[in-house]
Amino acid sequence: MRKKVIAGNWKMNMLPNEAIAFIEELAPLVKDTENEVILCVPYIDLFYSLLTVQGTNIKIGAQNMHFEESGAYTGEVSGKMLKSIGVEYVIIGHSERRQYFAETDEIVNKKVKAAISNGLKPIICVGETLEQREEGKTSEVITKQTELALEGLTNKEVENIIIAYEPIWAIGTGKTATSEDANNSIKEIRNKISKIYGQNTAQSVIIQYGGSVKSSNAKELFEMSDIDGGLVGGASLKAEEFSKIVKYK
Ligand code: PGA
């Protein structure tokens, strides 16, 4: 049985004092959950967040990283740096990074490999645009993105990653994919992994849904056969609302 993994993606929100207050409010609300709880916070909040989650079941992730370990890359942060302070997860290839920061599938693959080699768990985002969906290309786009992101990984490595299927038209728009649609897309991603890595590996990969997840739709989505939790943006900015998503049942 795969575990449900619920990750918040704060994006470019929350000052350190707000991060601390949020975690202090969230921790008692989610302490008894059997689901995995992750907060992916801005770099500036990482250290404060890591200190504040000590002794709780909340894990901390970053939202991006560079694929090189160190060097002349002004403004960048490496996987090695993230790992050194105790970060466990990192979002890679979020559609906002692909769209606004020109991240290609090749860069995503390099980052995934660098994350793994530094002992971080990547949360790899894939998803189609509205245009691609309307042209009937959803399956082609998301399976290709998955294949390219995972290129060169071993079975064992693939078994330890997380994929987030996030249809771009559903992010921050209030529009959610229907639970059937989301489940079908996630099945397609799993089938693709199965074709390359075999059924056992495909069945063990955590694949989340993301895009306007909130407490009112979390249960319906997360109870689908292939949806293993969610990557939550807007609704992860309020501790009480996020705790309801974590405890969706
Ligand atoms: P949203 O964002 O929940 O605000 O739609 C999800 C994401 O971008 O990860």
Side-chain angles (χ1 to χ4, degrees):
M1 256 291 271
R2 291 183 303 268
K3 209 172 169 175
K4 300 288 181 192
V5 181
I6 323 293
N9 173 13
W10 284 355
K11 309 194 179 184
M12 198 171 71
N13 295 292
M14 301 284 242
L15 301 174
N17 61 323
E18 295 168 327
I20 293 167
F22 180 101
I23 293 166
E24 283 171 350
E25 187 183 345
L26 181 69
L29 300 176
V30 299
K31 71 174 182 357
D32 296 323
T33 184
E34 63 209 19
N35 304 328
E36 186 128 342
V37 191
I38 307 169
L39 292 173
C40 296
V41 309
Y43 290 138
I44 192 89
D45 296 333
L46 282 172
F47 201 66
Y48 300 95
S49 302
L50 285 160
L51 291 178
T52 316
V53 298
Q54 277 180 23
T56 76
N57 54 343
I58 302 169
K59 308 273 172 59
I60 296 297
Q63 299 172 8
N64 179 35
M65 57 171 266
H66 197 276
F67 50 79
E68 294 292 352
E69 295 221 327
S70 61
Y73 301 98
T74 303
E76 292 292 319
V77 172
S78 72
K80 188 177 178 182
M81 290 170 162
L82 295 175
K83 184 68 184 178
S84 75
I85 60 166
V87 173
E88 291 182 65
Y89 295 85
V90 57
I91 298 175
I92 305 274
H94 189 279
S95 60
E96 285 151 17
R97 297 219 52 92
R98 294 180 191 253
Q99 197 180 343
Y100 308 140
F101 302 97
E103 274 190 22
T104 61
D105 288 318
E106 194 190 342
I107 295 173
V108 169
N109 178 247
K110 282 185 175 177
K111 291 186 175 190
V112 168
K113 286 179 177 157
I116 293 170
S117 69
N118 281 292
L120 297 164
K121 253 192 190 203
I123 301 174
I124 306 165
C125 301
V126 300
E128 81 286 0
T129 62
L130 186 56
E131 202 184 355
Q132 289 164 335
R133 185 176 193 85
E134 283 169 351
E135 287 169 1
K137 291 188 180 150
T138 299
S139 168
E140 182 189 326
V141 169
I142 61 178
T143 55
K144 194 79 202 159
Q145 283 176 338
T146 303
E147 182 177 3
L148 294 175
L150 304 186
E151 208 171 78
L153 265 54
T154 64
N155 276 60
K156 200 163 180 296
E157 286 169 342
V158 172
E159 284 161 23
N160 276 305
I161 58 160
I162 297 175
I163 295 178
Y165 165 61
E166 299 206 306
I168 295 170
W169 50 270
I171 296 178
T173 57
K175 288 186 200 144
T176 326
T178 64
S179 46
E180 283 79 19
D181 268 356
N183 199 46
N184 284 337
S185 291
I186 288 177
K187 274 188 183 162
E188 303 219 22
I189 294 169
R190 213 179 284 289
N191 282 339
K192 184 72 187 184
I193 297 174
S194 176
K195 280 196 191 121
I196 307 172
Y197 294 96
Q199 182 68 359
N200 284 350
T201 296
Q203 283 307 322
S204 56
V205 181
I206 300 287
I207 310 183
Q208 301 171 313
Y209 167 79
S212 299
V213 173
K214 38 189 183 281
S215 58
S216 57
N217 60 23
K219 182 175 158 72
E220 195 193 326
L221 287 160
F222 299 169
E223 285 190 340
M224 298 302 288
S225 64
D226 278 67
I227 305 183
D228 306 323
L231 183 57
V232 186
S236 75
L237 293 169
K238 293 267 181 299
E240 204 191 334
E241 168 69 3
F242 186 60
S243 75
K244 286 186 190 154
I245 298 172
V246 169
K247 301 183 292 181
Y248 62 91
K249 272 182 199 154

